[in-house]
Each structure stands twice: as C-alpha cells, then as structure tokens.
Amino acid sequence: MPTSAHTRPQTDSRRGQLLELGLQLFGSRPYDDVSIDDIAREAGISKGLLYHYFGGKRDFYVAVVAEASARLRAATEPDPALDPRSRIVAGLGAYLDFVDARAAAFTALMRGGLGTDPEIAGVIDSTRQVFVDRFVEGLGLTAPRPVFRTAVRAWIGAVEAASLDWITHRDLPRDTLLMLLLSSLGAHLVVASRLDPAAGVVLTDVEPLLGQLGL
C-alpha cells in the first residue's frame, strides 16, 4: 500500500527520532553493548517496529553513522564568501563546535563498532575525503598532488584523534586546541610545499596565520 502524504512526515519524524537515539547510544557505549532490546526500550517501541524502519541492529548502526557524517559535513560547510585563510579558521572552529555540542554523534562516527565492515568504513572514509577535497580545492590544486593530499589526510587524522581526546578529558580550552591544530596544519602545508614546489602553491594565506600564532 502506498504511503500517504499524511503518514510520510510521521514516518520521517519517527525515523529521525530513532537516529537521534542511536547517536546517543552508540556514542556512549560500544556497539556490542547495545542490543536491539536496549534500542527498542529506550525508544518506547517494539523490536518489530525497529526492524520495520531499519532491518536490524547492523543496518540501524550504519544509518546512525551515516547520519553523524551528514551532520558533521553540513556543520562544517565552507563559506565561499570568505578568503581561504578565514575559511580554514571558520571551518575548523565549526568542526570543534560540532564535536563539543554533539560529542555522542562524533564519537559514534569516529569509533565505528563493526571493525572492518566495508559499509561503515566507506562512510567514515568518504567523510574524511570530503575534508581532503575541501582543503585541496582551497589551495587551488586542480591536478592530483600526492604530497599535499597525504599531508592534508594526515592532518585530518590528527584532528580526529585530538578531538576525541578533547571530549574524553575535557581539560583543554577550545581556543588552545584550535591554535594547536591550526599550527599543525600550517606546518604540514609548509613542508608539503617544499617537498612539491612544482605544485605552485603560494602559502600567502597560511604564512600570516602562522605569524598570528607566533610560529
């Protein structure tokens, strides 16, 4: 039977509520410690209804990770009106704000509980690739430059690790972490430009930033 115009918003709303719950559950507990019974009980629904929406625990978890990825990418969408240096600062600031406000969602995304599950790995990898592409495009690189790609990818890994440490310990001021990560990015890009001078990347937007940081 086709879904009516009236029931579709209700379905979307219920699905969104379940995803929100999943972000909280999987962001605070390991995947194996969360059962279908736990999810159904917390949501106030039957297990059958959860299977109806998502097909099972694994599919639900995949949807939760994909939701966390979509929220993070949307929260850090760069403003094209800003110059490259300002986009870097604003983007990283938005990233940290998301991590701070949505710690459970960020943890659920970064600490995938299904090991080598290819679909989970694909969501996480595509999230990282979005950030790599944004930075490489911001540098004005249109052709593949392995040194810069690797440098940015390595820095993004450091941002993820530092962010997880930050929300775990909560003993480092946000602005201190922001400065630490920006200085690390500057160092990565300076070294990459020296290793690949043919790329023609002019770091005029990075060098003032390093100067502001006292580097």
Side-chain angles (χ1 to χ4, degrees):
M1 180 180 296
T3 303
S4 71
H6 176 69
T7 59
R8 180 56 184 267
Q10 294 178 333
T11 299
D12 291 343
S13 176
R14 170 58 77 179
R15 190 175 189 277
Q17 291 169 358
L18 289 171
L19 288 173
E20 185 67 36
L21 173 63
L23 290 170
Q24 296 299 323
L25 289 176
F26 291 120
S28 58
R29 294 160 58 184
Y31 174 83
D32 290 337
D33 288 354
V34 179
S35 69
I36 287 290
D37 288 330
D38 294 332
I39 300 167
R41 182 174 58 254
E42 291 286 342
I45 62 174
S46 67
K47 291 189 291 184
L49 190 57
L50 185 68
Y51 281 109
H52 169 73
Y53 280 112
F54 295 101
K57 177 184 170 182
R58 184 263 179 193
D59 290 343
F60 178 53
Y61 184 69
V62 171
V64 166
V65 173
E67 176 70 10
S69 171
R71 293 187 184 192
L72 178 59
R73 286 183 282 113
T76 56
E77 184 69 31
D79 182 352
L82 297 176
D83 62 82
R85 178 164 57 91
S86 297
R87 284 202 302 271
I88 290 172
V89 176
L92 183 56
Y95 188 101
L96 295 180
D97 289 342
F98 178 92
V99 171
D100 188 30
R102 305 287 302 178
F106 182 78
T107 302
L109 174 62
M110 290 298 129
R111 291 179 173 166
L114 291 181
T116 57
D117 184 287
E119 196 166 0
I120 294 294
V123 172
I124 296 173
D125 188 64
S126 66
T127 306
R128 292 169 176 152
Q129 190 60 48
V130 165
F131 294 122
V132 171
D133 292 343
R134 286 178 183 175
F135 275 100
V136 170
E137 181 181 351
L139 292 170
L141 297 175
T142 55
R145 309 302 303 192
V147 170
F148 281 91
R149 182 200 65 232
T150 303
V152 173
R153 187 65 178 260
W155 178 74
I156 289 171
V159 171
E160 293 171 359
S163 297
L164 286 170
D165 179 82
W166 181 49
I167 58 178
T168 297
H169 297 285
R170 296 288 186 178
D171 57 0
L172 188 67
R174 174 193 178 279
D175 289 348
T176 300
L177 178 59
L178 180 64
M179 183 177 292
L180 176 66
L181 294 174
L182 287 172
S183 62
S184 174
L185 173 62
H188 275 72
L189 295 180
V190 167
V191 173
S193 67
R194 292 173 181 171
L195 292 174
D196 186 12
V201 172
V202 179
L203 298 179
T204 54
D205 290 303
V206 174
E207 289 163 356
L209 176 61
L210 296 179
Q212 291 175 10
L213 297 171
L215 299 174

